[in-house]
Amino acid sequence: MASYLEIADDSKGHELDLFCVPKHYEEDLDSVIIPNGLIKDRTERLARDIVRDMGGHHIVALCVLKGGYKFFADLMDYIKTLNQNIDKSLPLTVDFIRLKSYSNDQSTNCVKVIGGDELSALTGKNVLIVEDIVETGKTMETLLKLLNECQPKMVKVASLLVKRTPRSSGYRPDYIGFEVPDKFLVGYALDYNEYFRDLSHICILSDQAKEKYKV
Ligand code: IMP
Ligand code: MG
């Protein structure tokens, strides 16, 4: 079982005033639940675990857009730094896929691939899928099913966050940054209807903001 840093259900997070958040979002957030520095520190350790397990093989890191792009970029940077300093380095290429499953703050049953590289390029490859958050698990289960049709040699999944929710299918990624309470989270590329990607910390979205940015 993958280890993770647990953020407790009763964690209120940190007051917004203690951190720098963009002026345009000050009214929309309840608190900072994972500060940017802590995200980076945990990501650095995940990079070490991934290189330990997969080092010596060529891997294709597959970024799930758009929410995964910050975690992907930081994770790749840490892997690159490790690669420069160890014997059993991990040769890397990158691929991108764009999925959509969310409307407002509800995960939908319909997961769509709406762009990115062709999955058929991954036949026979060792693939590391890099995702922002697993909630019900449906997005990842759908992607894994699609990917397996292309017969990759091996597939591992790294997700920065896993939500503790009764809606979970039970799916667990191979690498997990944090396990988080069942709240809607934004920032560090996680969005609500495309807003809040331009926020460095992971924050709890307020109920008023869900109304304000509803589509
Ligand atoms: P799942 O299919 O229910 O596991 O949902 C996974 C996808 O929903 C993630 O890749 C995110 O794009 C989105 N998502 C789920 N929870 C959140 C959240 O709290 N904030 C932002 N996006 C979320
Ligand atoms: Mg996502």
Side-chain angles (χ1 to χ4, degrees):
M1 274 270 277
S3 46
Y4 51 83
L5 196 159
E6 182 176 329
I7 313 277
D9 282 333
D10 59 0
S11 162
K12 297 214 166 18
H14 310 284
E15 269 177 53
L16 286 183
D17 286 352
L18 298 172
F19 292 90
C20 295
V21 297
K23 194 108 211 115
H24 52 273
Y25 291 144
E26 272 177 358
E27 307 295 311
D28 304 325
L29 306 167
D30 282 344
S31 64
V32 173
I33 187 154
I34 316 177
N36 186 269
L38 182 56
I39 302 171
K40 296 249 174 74
D41 291 336
R42 180 74 190 119
T43 304
E44 182 178 17
R45 178 54 199 250
L46 289 176
R48 192 170 109 180
D49 294 347
I50 290 166
V51 172
R52 177 200 61 207
D53 298 348
M54 302 171 99
H57 304 279
H58 174 267
I59 68 158
V60 182
L62 179 66
C63 174
V64 183
L65 295 170
K66 298 179 186 172
Y69 94 89
K70 279 296 296 169
F71 175 48
F72 182 81
D74 286 336
L75 186 65
M76 291 308 113
D77 277 350
Y78 283 120
I79 293 177
K80 269 193 306 189
T81 304
L82 283 171
N83 274 341
Q84 291 160 6
N85 294 291
I86 51 163
D87 295 332
K88 215 173 97 185
S89 65
L90 180 68
L92 264 184
T93 51
V94 297
D95 258 330
F96 298 87
I97 187 170
R98 183 141 180 236
L99 301 178
K100 210 170 172 73
S101 65
Y102 240 75
S103 157
N104 293 317
D105 65 345
Q106 295 301 311
S107 184
T108 63
N109 282 328
C110 167
V111 180
K112 275 198 225 119
V113 178
I114 56 168
D117 295 321
E118 289 296 329
L119 289 178
S120 57
L122 301 173
T123 304
K125 302 277 169 65
N126 300 306
V127 183
L128 176 70
I129 301 177
V130 181
E131 169 68 308
D132 53 355
I133 181 165
V134 169
E135 184 180 3
T136 63
K138 277 181 203 129
T139 303
M140 200 40 66
E141 285 173 336
T142 307
L143 178 57
L144 286 171
K145 201 149 36 132
L146 286 172
L147 192 53
N148 281 328
E149 285 169 13
C150 302
Q151 299 187 308
K153 190 160 149 206
M154 181 184 73
V155 182
K156 297 275 184 199
V157 177
S159 182
L160 178 63
L161 310 174
V162 171
K163 218 181 257 189
R164 264 190 313 281
T165 167
R167 297 181 302 286
S168 166
S169 68
Y171 169 77
R172 300 289 286 187
D174 302 286
Y175 300 95
I176 302 171
F178 302 84
E179 198 188 71
V180 294
D182 194 2
K183 304 217 164 87
F184 200 83
L185 306 180
V186 292
Y188 194 71
L190 281 87
D191 73 310
Y192 178 74
N193 293 334
E194 296 301 328
Y195 291 92
F196 303 101
R197 296 197 202 272
D198 56 333
L199 168 66
S200 320
H201 314 292
I202 297 181
C203 297
I204 301 179
L205 187 67
S206 73
D207 289 335
Q208 306 97 274
K210 287 183 191 167
E211 280 307 310
K212 178 170 158 192
Y213 296 96
K214 204 171 198 130
V215 290

